[in-house]
Amino acid sequence: MTGAGMSADAGVPTFRCEGGFWKNHRFEDLAHPDGFKRDPDLVWDWYRERRLCVASSAPHPGQRTIALLQRHYPEPGQVLIATTNEDDLLERAGVAPVIHLHGSLFDTICSGTCGWRSSDDRDNSLSMMPCPRCGAAVRPGSVWYGESLPRAPLQAIAHFNPDGCLLVGSSCLVQPAAAIPSDLVAASAPVVEINTEETLFSPIASCSIRGTAKDVLPGIVDLLTSRTVQDQKRRVT
Ligand SMILES: [Zn+2]
C-alpha cells in the first residue's frame, strides 16, 4: 500500500509535507465539493498544474520494483497494490492493476447526476467543456474530502486476505484507508513501514524503516523474491 511519499520520490509534491497549501489555499479546501462550488476555476487550475507535474515526472526504481514484485507473484490474489495517490506513476512503471482508493488525477467527471466520466483527460481538453451527456459543469474525478470512497476498490481490498503488508510513504491519516494496516496488525499479520519520517503508525508496525521508497524498496523486493526466502517459506509451509 503506497501513499504520497512514494510519489514524492518522483518529484510529485506532497501537499501535507509542504504545509498543506497551494497558492495560499488549503489543500482540504481545494479537494472539497464546497471548494469546487465556490470557485471551480481555482480548483481546475490546481488540478491542471498537478496533472502537468505528474505528466512531466517519471517512475523511480521503487515504483519499478513493485512491478517486478507483482510479476514474481502473478496468480490472482497473491499481491495487491493499493494506493491513495492519484497519479499514474505506478501504471507507467508497469504495475497493473493498481487499486486507486482516492480516484485518479486524470479522471474528469460530470458534476451533475448523469454519471458521465472519462479516465483519460491528460491534455485537460475535457476539463474545458461542459458534460457531453447532460451539459452540466465537469469536475475532477478524484475522491474529495467529505465524499465516500468508490465501492470497487474497497471490495477488492476486503476480498484480499494477505499474509502481510508493505506500507510505503503513507502517513495513514485519511480513513478508511488508514484502517487497513492497523487491521492487519490487529490480525497479527506483519506490516513493514517504509517512510522518511516517523508516523502515527510507526509504533505499532512490525518493522519501521526510515528511508525513501526509491532507496529502500528495491532491496526489500529483491529479498522477498530471492531463492533463500522462497526456500524458507516452502520449509515453513
Ligand atoms: Zn452530465
Side-chain angles (χ1 to χ4, degrees), residues 5-223:
M6 179 71 139
S7 298
D9 281 359
V12 178
T14 64
F15 291 93
R16 282 180 210 295
C17 295
E18 283 148 33
F21 284 90
W22 177 78
K23 293 188 180 174
N24 297 323
H25 299 282
R26 279 181 356 126
F27 176 52
E28 285 83 355
D29 293 334
L30 293 165
H32 197 287
D34 291 345
F36 185 74
K37 247 181 246 164
R38 230 179 356 252
D39 195 343
D41 291 340
L42 178 76
V43 172
W44 267 120
D45 282 349
W46 182 52
Y47 267 82
R48 287 180 192 122
E49 187 176 309
R50 291 171 64 205
R51 286 175 172 183
L52 196 66
C53 174
V54 166
S56 58
S57 305
H60 58 67
Q63 288 159 327
R64 287 199 293 271
T65 207
I66 293 293
L68 292 179
L69 180 69
Q70 205 176 36
R71 237 159 263 166
H72 192 85
Y73 295 100
E75 301 298 323
Q78 282 188 306
V79 173
L80 183 141
I81 312 296
T83 182
T84 51
N85 297 333
E86 296 164 57
D87 61 69
D88 62 347
L89 289 165
L90 282 170
E91 282 91 341
R92 280 198 274 142
V95 184
V98 180
I99 309 279
H100 282 275
L101 290 163
H102 292 174
S104 162
L105 188 62
F106 299 103
D107 281 359
T108 293
I109 62 172
C110 176
S111 67
T113 54
C114 85
W116 177 83
R117 158 182 294 271
S118 166
S119 56
D120 190 20
D121 192 17
R122 273 170 178 71
D123 64 0
N124 291 310
S125 56
L126 297 168
S127 74
M128 311 280 188
M129 52 183 81
C131 169
R133 196 179 289 167
C134 76
V138 294
R139 55 160 271 188
S142 309
V143 181
W144 284 337
Y145 289 92
E147 294 182 327
S148 314
L149 260 54
R151 196 178 300 167
L154 287 177
Q155 279 178 340
I157 288 175
H159 290 139
F160 186 58
N161 186 22
D163 299 326
C165 174
L166 285 175
L167 182 65
V168 186
S170 171
S171 50
C172 268
L173 288 175
V174 183
Q175 293 289 358
I180 295 165
S182 310
D183 288 350
L184 285 170
V185 168
S188 303
V191 180
V192 175
E193 177 188 62
I194 300 164
N195 207 304
T196 52
E197 293 169 2
E198 183 156 342
T199 70
L200 291 174
F201 186 76
S202 303
I204 60 165
S206 320
C207 173
S208 187
I209 301 168
R210 290 290 151 274
T212 61
K214 70 173 190 294
D215 290 338
V216 176
L217 264 180
I220 289 184
V221 170
D222 191 42
L223 193 67

